[in-house]
Amino acid sequence: MRRGQTIILNLVAVLALGGFLWLAEGNFDGYKIQILNLIAINIILALSLNLIYGFTGLFSLGHAGFMAIGAYICSILIMTPDQKDMLFLLEPAYDWVQNAHAPFLVAVLAGGLVAAAIGALVGFPLLRLGDDYLGIATLGFAEIIRVLANNFPRLTNGALGFKGIPDYANLWWNFGWCLVTLYVIVRLLKSNTGNVLKAIRDDEAAARAMGVNVFRYKLLSFTVGAFFAGIGGALLASLLTTIDPKMFLFTLTFNILMIVVAGGLGSLSGTVMAGIGITVLLEWLRVVENPVDIFGYELPGVPGMRMVVFSLALIMIILFRREGLMGMRELHWQSLSKVFSRGRA
Amino acid sequence: MNSATFIQHMLNSLTLGSLYALVAIGYTMVYGILRLINFAHSEMFMLGAYFVFWGITLANLPWPVAMVIAIVVTATLGIVVDQVAYRPLRDAPRISALISSIGVSFFLQNVAIVFFQAIPREVYRPQWLENPIIMGGVRVLPLTLFVPLLSLALMLGLIWIVYRTKAGLGMRAISKDIETSYLMGVPVNRIIALTFGIGSALAAASGIMWALRYPQLQPIMGTIPGFKAFIAAVFGGIGSIQGAVIGGLALGFIEIMTVAFFPDLAGYRDAFAFVLLIAVLMFKPTGLLGERLEDKV
């Protein structure tokens, strides 16, 4: 398939998505729109984790930490000084926190950039560690961020967190950022850098022997991943309009990891599909927590059942379909056109 | 700080440290044999405590009986988890088993939330653990002595198993080289199951004593002690049982003393261990007593 055709098909797909969002905005109820928003944010987060873990082989469990950074930075910037005046009950905010104000686009970008900067900073010592140790150390990093958020009332309002964050993050912002994320990561992986990252994942020692500066590429991948995790966190804060340190527990990283594993480590299209599937599934599973009425006999709802089913699903995937939905394969126009032409023949 | 307070703090750090050590042993044994960070281990800690609570409230068992039964049940559960969630993945990439263990950890935690509810529960403490003994101006709860003594007994039992029995010989063989152990006729799967059983039993014992000391049960109570115990294992040198004990005691000491001497830092106490971990990994990745890691080429 020629390049021109691919570009046209991509444009058609983006336009179709735009049309769908436009229809959704007019016709769907608030709950469904909320799910669509979550889908977009989860895809951003899962793509960024897949870049770090699936394509570079860096087992990072620190996503919740980067999300927290993005969420706090963005919220501080989009809340008005008056709002912050009312909000900081424990202790008054630092002056620069109090007076900072920026439009939404700048705030989200700032969230991403600060997350990326901190990612690069902690990546320096941590990325020298091997797989499991890196996992535990990044987990520790996320936990430290959470403890700091709890203990810096003048910056984060401590355990109370922020309420009434302006809800700028609508379908257009979220899916816009989702497309940007997808575009950047696809371009990155298609470039020579992408090949180097995959080489490091497949055999680090060999990559090093070929003269690759392994550390530099790991740091690059980790920083880009942290950037988009920060963006995802920022959008999530504005979507939910409330954040507090408890939100950024390890569970959050776990949900993202689940999407990446289910979609296939090393498959972007798998991540997108799993992002849609799992977000919908997680919402749909709320059914098991509500009372169910069967032939006049009421089954009581079981609170917490949702996560039981969810974690069971992760175990099943890893036991029976270790490579996830797509493995390392990608869905692109070529493979689609092959499917269709085979159907015609 | 006068000497009585200091002794008090020392006893507290010994208690906390030995609780960390018991959990750390489980991490270190499994890691030594399978190179797997068993995230579900911290749930064994939590379940052990809940099982005792059940034994007492539902079955009206006396304390010691409930404790023994809870430890046995948890050990069995640890073996079941290995058989169901890890054994099918023995030949898979290591990361698969790790993700499976994260899944099991969340599964058990959420099952606990469903069965026991997320609200914290009070724990009944036997009276004899609460009457303070006064020794030369130091007021000591029998609990503060009971915990380290029972932990010590359990650790000695473990060392006896590892260094004096055939099964222990098998464990040491597998941790050196699992493939050769298969060839030499070591019943690898049975010994791995035993390792999970022993590790889970120690974690349960630790969880039960933790619940006596900090008398509250919560489905997420295992997570933070679990992470800290893992850090203790890394600090001591993962794969080494003595290292896990030293690491656990050191971590308990550091935590209690930092909070005692710098009360302002109390809010950060859950972050100390992670800072320590990152520092240790930077300068001595194999921990105090760890073996040299070989570079794979």
Side-chain angles (χ1 to χ4, degrees), chain A residues 260-265 314-327, chain B residues 87-97 99:
Chain A
V260 174
V261 172
L265 287 165
L314 176 69
I315 301 173
M316 291 300 159
I317 292 172
I318 207 77
L319 285 181
F320 298 113
R321 198 171 163 81
R322 207 180 301 148
E323 73 279 14
L325 198 59
M326 293 291 289
Chain B
R87 198 174 156 183
L89 297 172
R90 291 271 202 268
D91 299 321
R94 278 197 301 141
I95 224 78
S96 300
I99 293 171

Side-chain angles (χ1 to χ4, degrees), chain B residues 4-255:
Chain B
T5 333
F6 184 74
I7 291 171
Q8 195 85 57
H9 286 313
M10 283 302 286
L11 285 173
N12 284 339
S13 32
L14 192 62
T15 306
L16 186 62
S18 48
L19 292 180
Y20 287 153
L22 284 180
V23 185
I25 289 170
Y27 279 114
T28 223
M29 286 173 74
V30 168
Y31 195 91
I33 287 181
L34 294 179
R35 303 277 178 266
L36 163 71
I37 302 175
N38 179 15
F39 272 89
H41 195 55
S42 52
E43 270 50 59
M44 299 299 150
F45 176 94
M46 175 266 297
L47 287 173
Y50 268 107
F51 287 151
V52 169
F53 174 80
W54 254 8
I56 294 171
T57 53
L58 295 184
N60 261 323
L61 296 170
W63 245 101
V65 181
M67 182 161 175
V68 172
I69 292 179
I71 290 176
V72 172
V73 172
T74 318
T76 318
L77 194 64
I79 295 174
V80 171
V81 166
D82 168 52
Q83 297 293 315
V84 174
Y86 306 147
R87 198 174 156 183
L89 297 172
R90 291 271 202 268
D91 299 321
R94 278 197 301 141
I95 224 78
S96 300
L98 189 66
I99 293 171
S100 184
S101 89
I102 296 178
V104 173
S105 163
F106 272 83
F107 175 71
L108 293 174
Q109 210 175 83
N110 286 294
V111 167
I113 290 176
V114 168
F115 272 97
F116 308 122
Q117 267 105 62
I119 39 160
R121 285 179 189 281
E122 289 289 307
V123 175
Y124 155 81
R125 279 208 280 204
Q127 195 56 45
W128 59 271
L129 284 172
E130 298 207 70
N131 297 331
I133 312 166
I134 315 250
M135 290 189 306
V138 185
R139 198 170 152 277
V140 184
L141 283 184
L143 190 61
T144 326
L145 301 175
F146 172 73
V147 173
L149 286 178
L150 183 60
S151 309
L152 182 70
L154 289 173
M155 286 177 215
L156 288 177
L158 173 77
I159 287 178
W160 179 78
I161 291 177
V162 173
Y163 290 98
R164 288 282 180 276
T165 64
K166 214 169 171 190
L169 184 67
M171 284 175 197
R172 284 179 285 144
I174 297 173
S175 74
K176 281 270 179 270
D177 187 338
I178 188 160
E179 255 108 66
T180 314
S181 305
Y182 267 116
L183 298 177
M184 300 296 284
V186 178
V188 172
N189 279 318
R190 220 182 308 154
I191 288 185
I192 291 175
L194 179 71
T195 310
F196 271 93
I198 293 176
S200 307
L202 294 179
S206 177
I208 294 165
M209 289 190 276
W210 184 280
L212 289 176
R213 176 114 174 74
Y214 309 98
Q216 214 177 46
L217 294 177
Q218 284 183 63
I220 55 160
M221 67 187 275
T223 311
I224 294 284
F227 283 156
K228 287 185 184 167
F230 177 76
I231 290 167
V234 173
F235 183 56
I238 197 138
S240 151
I241 292 175
Q242 292 90 326
V245 175
I246 294 173
L249 291 174
L251 197 60
F253 180 79
I254 293 171
E255 192 175 321

Side-chain angles (χ1 to χ4, degrees), chain A residues 4-148:
Chain A
Q5 274 173 304
T6 315
I7 293 177
I8 291 170
L9 283 169
N10 282 341
L11 280 177
V12 169
V14 170
L15 284 177
L17 176 69
F20 171 71
L21 292 181
W22 182 72
L23 281 177
E25 205 176 29
N27 298 316
F28 283 12
D29 58 32
Y31 179 60
K32 289 203 182 95
I33 289 184
Q34 184 78 352
I35 295 179
L36 282 178
N37 278 317
L38 284 174
I39 286 177
I41 294 176
N42 279 341
I43 291 177
I44 296 174
L45 294 166
L47 285 174
S48 63
L49 184 62
N50 208 348
L51 172 70
I52 299 179
Y53 180 25
F55 288 95
T56 323
L58 300 168
F59 188 50
S60 165
L61 295 175
H63 241 51
F66 295 122
M67 288 172 68
I69 295 168
Y72 274 102
I73 296 289
C74 174
S75 308
I76 287 173
L77 286 175
I78 57 178
M79 284 190 296
T80 59
D82 289 347
Q83 246 181 320
K84 282 178 262 188
D85 232 2
M86 311 263 285
L87 197 66
F88 279 82
L89 298 171
L90 298 168
E91 276 176 62
Y94 293 115
D95 283 342
W96 55 273
V97 172
Q98 176 66 39
N99 298 324
H101 194 62
F104 188 53
L105 179 65
V106 179
V108 173
L109 262 178
L113 287 174
V114 174
I118 294 181
L121 205 67
V122 297
F124 240 94
L126 295 189
L127 290 175
R128 294 176 199 283
L129 301 170
D131 35 29
D132 302 350
Y133 289 102
L134 179 65
I136 269 294
T138 45
L139 181 80
F141 154 77
E143 195 62 19
I144 291 171
I145 294 287
R146 208 174 60 77
V147 170
L148 287 178

